[in-house]
């Protein structure tokens, strides 16, 4: 269920501290409108009652989509292990926990990207791998950060290309390329992300460790 709690928030503009309502958890199956508020960042925005300045503040939030058997836990890196341990008992009672995809993310941007990835029915490990590979294969993408955004009408993967000090641009990757990476070149990466009922941080560090382990395996 969606859980609301109160928290003291300090305005970045006037330093006034006020009590705001925050979402400790959101259940988008029970309240679909919440999903749009998450991906738009609205639930992380607070208006100061003193000066009316709007501050965007990140806080811990559990995103739950029952229809996709998906839980995304937005946590600060410092509190992640402690919070996951505290959730262990509650998850033991979760029906069909082994079918759930459980992910830990550390920023609102990462949370939204995971939502987009699972809406597109893609594997987040393969997407993270592509985000690392593409800047090394395309001169125009060097020095940029890629974030998955959506699928276009042809099924191609559309990535936002983020560079400091410039407007966000977009690039697309043919679906055939994604499928070849997923089923042929790196099929074992997808398997590594299918640990049902286990909290995983599937990010560039996860992929880097996977590639290190893969390179250390003896040839078959």
């Amino acid at each position: 269920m969606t859980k609301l709690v109160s928290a003291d928030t300090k305005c970045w503009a006037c330093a006034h501290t006020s009590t705001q309502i925050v979402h400790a958890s959101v259940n988008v199956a029970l309240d679909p409108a919440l999903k749009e508020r998450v991906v738009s960042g609205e639930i992380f925005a607070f208006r100061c009652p003193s000066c009316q300045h709007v501050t965007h503040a990140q806080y811990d939030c559990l995103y739950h989509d029952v229809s996709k058997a998906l839980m995304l836990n937005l946590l600060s890196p410092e509190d992640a292990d402690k919070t996951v341990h505290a959730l262990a008992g509650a998850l033991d009672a979760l029906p069909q926990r082994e079918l759930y995809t459980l992910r830990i993310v550390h920023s609102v941007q990462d949370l939204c990207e995971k939502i987009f990835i699972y809406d597109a029915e893609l594997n987040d490990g393969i997407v993270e791998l592509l985000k690392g590979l593409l800047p090394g294969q395309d001169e125009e993408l060097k020095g940029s950060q890629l974030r998955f955004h959506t699928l276009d009408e042809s099924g191609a993967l559309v990535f936002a290309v983020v560079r400091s000090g410039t407007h966000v641009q977009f690039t697309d990757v043919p679906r055939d390329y994604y499928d070849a990476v997923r089923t042929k070149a790196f099929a074992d990466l997808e398997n590594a992300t299918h640990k049902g009922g286990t909290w995983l941080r599937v990010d560039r560090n996860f992929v880097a460790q996977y590639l290190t382990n893969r390179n250390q395996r003896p040839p078959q």
Side-chain angles (χ1 to χ4, degrees):
M1 62 181 295
T2 295
K3 180 180 179 181
L4 302 176
V5 298
S6 59
D8 290 337
T9 303
K10 186 175 182 179
C11 177
W12 290 1
C14 71
H16 175 76
T17 298
S18 62
T19 300
Q20 303 275 353
I21 301 300
V22 302
H23 289 74
S25 65
V26 295
N27 189 322
V28 298
L30 295 178
D31 189 353
L34 266 178
K35 180 176 180 178
E36 179 56 35
R37 295 185 64 201
V38 172
V39 298
S40 70
E42 182 185 341
I43 72 166
F44 301 103
F46 305 105
R47 184 178 297 276
C48 175
S50 177
C51 72
Q52 303 304 309
H53 178 77
V54 176
T55 296
H56 287 82
Q58 180 173 308
Y59 56 84
D60 291 355
C61 179
L62 177 65
Y63 176 95
H64 187 190
D65 189 339
V66 179
S67 67
K68 293 183 172 61
L70 174 68
M71 283 188 179
L72 306 172
N73 215 339
L74 172 60
L75 300 169
S76 65
E78 297 79 13
D79 297 334
D81 292 338
K82 181 174 68 176
T83 303
V84 167
H85 179 74
L87 284 171
L91 286 176
D92 287 341
L94 185 69
Q96 297 184 307
R97 171 179 171 169
E98 69 281 0
L99 300 180
Y100 260 76
T101 297
L102 306 176
R103 295 291 187 261
I104 296 170
V105 295
H106 294 317
S107 73
V108 174
Q109 291 81 8
D110 290 341
L111 172 65
C112 294
E113 183 179 40
K114 292 292 185 187
I115 294 170
F116 297 152
I117 289 170
Y118 284 99
D119 279 354
E121 300 182 349
L122 302 174
N123 178 268
D124 58 341
I126 301 300
V127 171
E128 288 293 339
L129 178 64
L130 291 180
K131 287 163 59 178
L133 291 176
L134 293 172
Q137 297 175 349
D138 188 334
E139 191 71 27
E140 294 184 359
L141 298 178
K142 284 188 176 180
S144 66
Q145 181 184 20
L146 301 183
R147 286 193 174 277
F148 177 76
H149 183 65
T150 190
L151 297 178
D152 70 11
E153 294 180 355
S154 71
L157 285 67
V158 179
F159 290 87
V161 182
V162 183
R163 293 185 178 89
S164 178
T166 64
H167 293 294
V168 175
Q169 298 176 311
F170 293 91
T171 189
D172 60 85
V173 176
R175 182 58 183 256
D176 288 350
Y177 182 78
Y178 167 87
D179 288 337
V181 170
R182 181 179 66 85
T183 62
K184 298 176 182 178
F186 295 96
D188 50 343
L189 173 56
E190 184 172 21
N191 294 334
T193 66
H194 284 169
K195 296 181 179 179
T198 301
W199 290 105
L200 296 176
R201 298 177 181 87
V202 179
D203 53 16
R204 61 182 179 182
N205 292 330
F206 181 95
V207 172
Q209 186 60 56
Y210 155 79
L211 292 173
T212 297
N213 295 340
R214 191 175 193 257
N215 292 334
Q216 291 175 348
R217 294 173 194 158
Q220 300 295 321

